[in-house]
Amino acid sequence: MIKIIFKWVSILLLTILIFGGALASHEWYANKPFFFRSYLDRTMIKVAFDSPETLTSLGFLESIGIKGHNAELDDSSQKKSDELFHLMKHVKLGIENYSEEELNDSENLSREIALYLLNFGINSEQFRYHNYPVNQLFGIQNDYPSFMDAQHQVNVVEDAENYISRLSKVKLKFEQSLEGLKIREEKGIIPPLFVIERVLDEMTRFVEQPIEENILYSSLKTKIDDSDEISSKQQSAILAKVATQMQESVHPAYQILIEYFTNLKRKASTDDGFWRLPLGEQAYAASLKFFTTTDYTPEQIHQMGLTEVARIQSEILAILASQGYSTEQGFTQSIEILKAQEAFYYPDTDAGRAQILADYQTILDEISIGLDPAFRIQPKAGMEVRRIPKFKEKTAPGAYYQQPSIDGSRPGLFFANLYDIKATPKYSMRTLAYHEGIPGHHFQIAIGMELEGMPLFRRMSPFTAYTEGWALYAEYLAWELGFENDPFDNIGRLQAELFRAVRLVVDTGLHHKRWTREQSIQYMLANTGMALSDVTSEIERYIVMPGQATSYKVGMMKILSLREKAKAALGKQFTLRDFHDVVLKNGAVPLHILERLVDQYIERLQKITKK
């Protein structure tokens, strides 16, 4: 939880209006600048240039020829974490110097959202170590190679030299990360045994594979092969340096964590929920609040999930019956019969996997040209489909989305997991593409990044209930708009929604009701019809990311309820285009703020009618 807070509060404090023009001396140095945005801008600019990885990810300095940051890595030390908490408190005081009366509506909304994030970050300091920063899904051991592969662009020799420089500095970064792991160990916050076993297996395989096959080597080789600016002689020299750094810096860095986790295994247990940690129940409640932006209790969320699971399963069985399937044996067996049909799967070959990626792209291309009736605003950034890198796909989720760069040089990316071919039935593909791509994450995130005149933190705010709620709503919307006319595609959509409803049950089951990992796996298997490999990785995800999985369904239900509220209030005045403008043009926001924005939209149109 705190890692996500750090990431996004850093952006909040780092990057607002980097593109806003020269700031006057007063605006840069005064305790209270004349303009509210100036205060936010200068703080974010100062810290942004202390985060080279953020600068690379944002990708705007390269377009003006500044690349030095691409040779550096972020400071991952505990001292830097302490500085961020201190900075949050300082910035909060600065923001509070501006009263609501002296700001316009847009500025007040920015002020409210900024304070919401800052207050949560400050109040969560007591839980800053309640996480597992190295786990089977994310952590420096796979974030680092993924970052180098997906975000470090290489077009000329200087870019490659910067890449090599980053390889040479990874050992220090791993040592800094170890500081925090040892503090957690002292506090009794130790990952479950399976987490340690997973990361040890991942890191051991990473260092044992031939250097030429390692993603840090092969990725750079592909990039320089694709460059017209790097000669064959230069390529050979670059790759020789990479091989040296792999041996002298990268492998020793991984050995540091391999040794640590090997020794930590003897302290680990097979209990999995947050309830087992010191202050674990309070930390879980805080996590639920952060991810859902609501005050729902774990018990409320659990019961909400049970109700939704029953409703959605009933709808799926009705469709199966209409297609001639027997449903007397109950939900689980009915889904197993459906899953067993080979016609729904691609060949378990390289060619079959390539066809999956091509078909995903076709699905996205098709819907992208048919959304004008529902959307007035659409993203300018393009989107591509890629396979999740093989080195981490075994424990990765079914898919994920990576935002485009701000300058447009890198498109939005939809990463699909092709490890288990049986986890990608054809009838599930449309829904997954709509969720991760269009009109889901790509629409919402890319549009948010492209909004004019809005502070950058509001273009990229970390409100998971909004962002994931929108993506799940997008699945429903695509079906409403006629892009899933095949009844089996609709089953795929309902299965995806069922999956998110089950998450409400198992997340709270694990961390509140003290379910075991095995108990949670069995519940999800029995109630979703998903492949065992997917269920296992999902349950293990909820264990290391408590609360996050509940945000999807909570957010979707809120967006749908607000849409129905607007329809009921406005009647014929209601249009999807208007509603989606309200939801998308303000960036990601907490759900209570989204409700207020919708209420204001309803009030505006009602006033027009009265005139």
Side-chain angles (χ1 to χ4, degrees):
M1 175 178 66
I2 207 68
K3 176 181 177 182
I4 296 174
I5 295 170
F6 275 159
K7 175 181 176 182
W8 292 109
V9 171
S10 293
I11 291 178
L12 165 70
L13 302 172
L14 302 178
T15 336
I16 289 183
L17 274 186
I18 284 174
F19 311 106
L23 298 174
S25 178
H26 176 274
E27 298 297 277
W28 187 256
Y29 293 108
N31 289 330
K32 183 180 179 182
F34 294 131
F35 298 102
F36 178 56
R37 288 180 67 178
S38 294
Y39 176 78
L40 297 171
D41 296 349
R42 72 183 191 188
T43 305
M44 297 189 76
I45 290 170
K46 289 175 182 178
V47 187
F49 283 88
D50 195 32
S51 176
E53 293 174 34
T54 297
L55 293 176
T56 298
S57 180
L58 292 173
F60 65 91
L61 288 178
E62 290 80 357
S63 62
I64 57 175
I66 299 175
K67 296 184 176 182
H69 57 283
N70 290 328
E72 306 294 334
L73 295 173
D74 284 356
D75 183 345
S76 297
S77 67
Q78 291 305 293
K79 180 181 177 182
K80 179 59 66 175
S81 295
D82 293 340
E83 290 175 2
L84 281 171
F85 274 110
H86 176 75
L87 186 57
M88 281 190 272
K89 296 169 186 175
H90 175 76
V91 173
K92 178 188 173 184
L93 292 174
I95 290 174
E96 289 175 337
N97 279 335
Y98 294 87
S99 66
E100 294 182 18
E101 291 73 24
E102 62 187 298
L103 302 178
N104 62 35
D105 289 346
S106 178
E107 290 170 333
N108 268 316
L109 184 56
S110 295
R111 180 183 186 274
E112 181 181 5
I113 295 171
L115 288 176
Y116 182 96
L117 284 170
L118 289 166
N119 284 329
F120 191 90
I122 293 166
N123 293 336
S124 296
E125 185 171 5
Q126 62 180 316
F127 305 126
R128 64 185 291 189
Y129 297 112
H130 279 76
N131 61 7
Y132 312 124
V134 175
N135 60 67
Q136 78 282 5
L137 291 182
F138 57 82
I140 190 172
Q141 84 286 358
N142 55 35
D143 286 349
Y144 174 74
S146 295
F147 169 78
M148 296 294 282
D149 171 50
Q151 306 209 33
H152 188 114
Q153 299 186 51
V154 176
N155 299 303
V156 297
V157 171
E158 179 188 3
D159 300 331
E161 293 292 346
N162 287 337
Y163 187 101
I164 293 166
S165 175
R166 278 180 159 160
L167 294 181
S168 73
K169 295 172 181 176
V170 71
K171 187 169 180 285
L172 173 61
K173 190 174 178 71
F174 273 56
E175 290 170 346
Q176 291 170 337
S177 297
L178 185 60
E179 296 175 20
L181 294 173
K182 289 182 176 179
I183 292 174
R184 288 169 176 82
E185 181 183 355
E186 292 169 1
K187 292 179 175 293
I189 300 174
I190 296 171
L193 180 61
F194 84 85
V195 174
I196 295 176
E197 291 174 341
R198 292 279 196 282
V199 297
L200 279 173
D201 178 62
E202 177 189 12
M203 291 189 292
T204 300
R205 285 186 288 108
F206 187 87
V207 298
E208 287 181 348
Q209 66 185 153
I211 286 176
E212 292 77 10
E213 297 176 13
N214 189 290
I215 189 173
L216 289 171
Y217 183 99
S218 61
S219 174
L220 181 62
K221 185 177 187 303
T222 298
K223 292 172 183 178
I224 61 178
D225 283 346
D226 291 342
S227 171
D228 295 328
E229 303 295 325
I230 304 176
S231 68
S232 298
K233 183 177 180 180
Q234 289 170 324
Q235 289 183 21
S236 297
I238 288 167
L239 292 175
K241 291 179 182 179
V242 171
T244 298
Q245 288 304 325
M246 291 292 295
Q247 294 172 326
E248 296 181 357
S249 180
V250 176
H251 285 176
Y254 278 80
Q255 289 296 342
I256 289 171
L257 292 189
I258 289 173
E259 181 179 348
Y260 174 74
F261 279 105
T262 299
N263 293 329
L264 189 66
K265 277 182 67 174
R266 60 185 175 83
K267 294 186 177 182
S269 75
T270 55
D271 289 330
D272 301 303
F274 249 40
W275 55 267
R276 69 188 174 86
L277 304 178
L279 297 178
E281 292 182 357
Q282 296 93 319
Y284 181 56
S287 187
L288 284 178
K289 183 176 180 64
F290 176 72
F291 284 116
T292 68
T293 62
T294 72
D295 292 321
Y296 295 161
T297 66
E299 189 61 34
Q300 284 176 306
I301 292 174
H302 192 82
Q303 294 303 320
M304 183 189 303
L306 292 173
T307 300
E308 285 294 285
V309 166
R311 176 188 67 80
I312 298 167
Q313 286 182 346
S314 176
E315 291 189 26
I316 291 173
L317 289 174
I319 296 174
L320 286 173
S322 73
Q323 298 302 307
Y325 286 75
S326 171
T327 59
E328 294 179 358
Q329 63 272 39
F331 180 80
T332 303
Q333 290 302 314
S334 297
I335 291 298
E336 288 302 318
I337 292 171
L338 181 70
K339 287 169 55 182
Q341 298 185 38
E342 289 298 323
F344 288 128
Y345 300 97
Y346 291 80
D348 192 0
T349 62
D350 289 343
R353 287 173 169 81
Q355 190 60 52
I356 290 174
L357 296 179
D359 288 351
Y360 270 132
Q361 193 66 58
T362 298
I363 290 168
L364 291 167
D365 292 343
E366 172 193 88
I367 195 170
S368 66
I369 62 175
L371 289 176
D372 284 349
F375 290 92
R376 184 176 290 109
I377 181 173
Q378 299 188 27
K380 299 173 185 175
M383 211 204 78
E384 295 178 4
V385 182
R386 293 187 187 177
R387 180 177 182 173
I388 289 177
K390 291 182 181 180
F391 84 94
K392 66 174 185 178
E393 66 182 356
K394 184 176 181 179
T395 57
Y400 59 83
Y401 174 77
Q402 180 179 294
Q403 68 195 37
S405 61
I406 287 179
D407 68 354
S409 62
R410 187 182 67 244
L413 298 174
F414 161 29
F415 284 92
N417 194 331
L418 304 184
Y419 174 74
D420 180 358
I421 204 76
K422 292 293 186 181
T424 309
K426 294 176 182 178
Y427 55 79
S428 74
M429 289 176 61
R430 285 184 172 272
T431 295
L432 188 59
Y434 301 147
H435 179 102
E436 300 294 345
I438 301 169
H441 282 317
H442 180 62
F443 251 49
Q444 181 265 310
I445 292 173
I447 286 172
M449 292 178 68
E450 294 166 5
L451 291 172
E452 297 292 336
M454 184 177 288
L456 188 56
F457 91 92
R458 284 185 55 194
R459 304 184 198 183
M460 307 171 74
S461 296
F463 298 114
T464 315
Y466 172 97
T467 56
E468 295 296 354
W470 171 265
L472 192 52
Y473 166 78
E475 299 175 12
Y476 181 85
L477 178 68
W479 168 71
E480 280 187 313
L481 296 175
F483 289 98
E484 290 181 306
N485 287 327
D486 187 301
F488 292 103
D489 285 339
N490 193 27
I491 288 177
R493 177 190 69 81
L494 286 166
Q495 278 191 289
E497 187 179 359
L498 175 63
F499 168 39
R500 276 48 175 245
V502 166
R503 282 175 161 182
L504 300 179
V505 178
V506 293
D507 195 288
T508 52
L510 281 162
H511 299 293
H512 171 61
K513 291 183 171 293
R514 304 192 176 193
W515 287 10
T516 65
R517 170 180 171 274
E518 291 70 26
Q519 183 180 356
S520 303
I521 288 172
Q522 288 306 312
Y523 179 87
M524 182 170 261
L525 273 176
N527 286 282
T528 62
M530 293 168 57
L532 176 61
S533 60
D534 276 357
V535 167
T536 301
S537 65
E538 285 295 327
I539 294 298
E540 292 176 352
R541 168 186 170 183
Y542 312 151
I543 291 170
V544 300
M545 297 179 68
Q548 192 270 351
T550 67
S551 57
Y552 298 64
K553 194 73 170 83
V554 169
M556 177 209 191
M557 292 174 72
K558 188 64 174 181
I559 293 171
L560 278 172
S561 70
L562 291 176
R563 195 180 77 173
E564 291 308 306
K565 181 180 184 179
K567 277 185 177 180
L570 297 174
K572 293 182 179 180
Q573 283 183 290
F574 176 87
T575 69
L576 277 175
R577 280 183 147 204
D578 287 344
F579 178 76
H580 292 154
D581 275 358
V582 174
V583 176
L584 293 173
K585 284 188 174 181
N586 289 286
V589 297
L591 295 182
H592 68 277
I593 292 180
L594 180 62
E595 181 163 14
R596 191 175 73 227
L597 293 170
V598 172
D599 287 343
Q600 291 170 350
Y601 143 71
I602 293 171
E603 186 178 350
R604 284 195 304 271
L605 286 188
Q606 287 177 333
K607 284 182 178 178
I608 293 173
T609 301
K610 289 179 182 179
K611 291 180 180 179

